[in-house]
Amino acid sequence: MINDRHENIAKVCKALSHPARVLILEYLKGIDTCICGDIVNILPLSQSTVSQHLKQLKEAGLIRGDIEGTKTCYCIDKHVLENFKKTVNGL
Amino acid sequence: MINDRHENIAKVCKALSHPARVLILEYLKGIDTCICGDIVNILPLSQSTVSQHLKQLKEAGLIRGDIEGTKTCYCIDKHVLENFKKTVNGL
DNA sequence: ATCGTTTATCGTAGATTAACGATTATGAAA
DNA sequence: TTTCATAATCGTTAATCTACGATAAACGAT
């Protein structure tokens, strides 16, 4: 009964089931790329907590993290986001 | 920083963060209305568990439950669903 | 080689979620 | 009124989530 599509929608929705992660996604949408510290500066959360949120967004495929030296540059995976939008539209 | 819109997206996404609830929503979409027992019959979950899932979908506003005698007829709140789609499209 | 910056991970505590069986409540039917 | 059908709630257990501080890892700069 439950198929891969249900699982996939649930997976992405779970990643977006916390307001901080929704905000992070929108923030990334606006600036293309940023590092963890940037988000720590705009949210009242510790560095470790923000890192965890980023990890969850990454595991859901919504964002990517490119390591550059000591920094990690995060950006949206537009393809995954668009695909999610299409799937939600199909609901 | 985090505003009502972030909270709202997170709330609905949370309701859809479990594959069983995604399936239930789609099922309701297809048949317009059904009772709890119908869903128990198509999912490998107990009656109490299905009832809890329905409760979460209802609390998120995605579905309504109209009591008719001893049964409760569940149906999608199309307005809320459409609103969610639009909001997701804006991401 | 050491120091400073940045990020990820570890360990932890408290809250929440998911699932179940059992129970309760309500109304319909006999 | 007793029974049946239906759904919600209670109580419980195991798992997961959220948040934090502390620590570790990696790199650039001095």
Side-chain angles (χ1 to χ4, degrees):
Chain A
M1 273 302 161
I2 290 176
N3 59 34
D4 288 353
R5 195 170 42 79
H6 300 126
E7 303 267 14
N8 185 59
I9 295 177
K11 185 182 74 174
V12 179
C13 279
K14 191 171 191 175
L16 295 178
S17 70
H18 192 292
R21 293 194 289 269
V22 177
L23 183 143
I24 290 171
L25 194 75
E26 283 196 342
Y27 180 69
L28 275 170
K29 185 73 178 286
I31 65 171
D32 249 36
T33 182
C34 78
I35 64 176
C36 180
D38 295 335
I39 298 169
V40 174
N41 288 331
I42 62 170
L43 279 179
L45 295 171
S46 73
Q47 180 270 321
S48 60
T49 301
V50 169
S51 187
Q52 296 266 30
H53 282 311
L54 287 167
K55 187 180 182 181
Q56 288 180 67
L57 287 170
K58 201 169 76 172
E59 281 174 354
L62 284 166
I63 69 175
R64 293 187 305 113
D66 300 320
I67 300 172
E68 299 199 2
T70 171
K71 306 181 179 180
T72 303
C73 296
Y74 287 98
C75 63
I76 287 189
D77 189 323
K78 293 180 182 175
H79 181 266
V80 173
L81 180 57
E82 289 307 314
N83 194 58
F84 174 63
K85 289 183 188 179
K86 281 179 194 158
T87 316
V88 167
N89 279 326
L91 284 176
Chain B
M1 268 300 160
I2 290 176
N3 60 33
D4 288 352
R5 194 170 43 77
H6 300 125
E7 303 268 14
N8 185 59
I9 295 176
K11 184 181 76 174
V12 180
C13 279
K14 191 172 190 175
L16 295 178
S17 70
H18 193 291
R21 293 195 288 269
V22 177
L23 183 144
I24 290 171
L25 194 76
E26 284 196 342
Y27 180 68
L28 274 171
K29 184 75 179 289
I31 64 169
D32 249 34
T33 183
C34 79
I35 64 176
C36 180
D38 294 335
I39 298 168
V40 173
N41 287 332
I42 63 169
L43 279 179
L45 295 171
S46 73
Q47 180 269 322
S48 60
T49 301
V50 170
S51 186
Q52 296 268 29
H53 283 311
L54 287 167
K55 186 180 183 182
Q56 288 180 67
L57 287 170
K58 202 169 75 172
E59 282 174 354
L62 284 167
I63 68 175
R64 294 187 304 113
D66 300 321
I67 300 173
E68 299 197 3
T70 170
K71 306 181 180 179
T72 304
C73 295
Y74 288 99
C75 63
I76 286 189
D77 189 324
K78 292 180 183 176
H79 181 266
V80 173
L81 180 57
E82 288 307 315
N83 194 57
F84 174 63
K85 289 183 187 178
K86 281 178 194 157
T87 316
V88 167
N89 279 326
L91 285 176

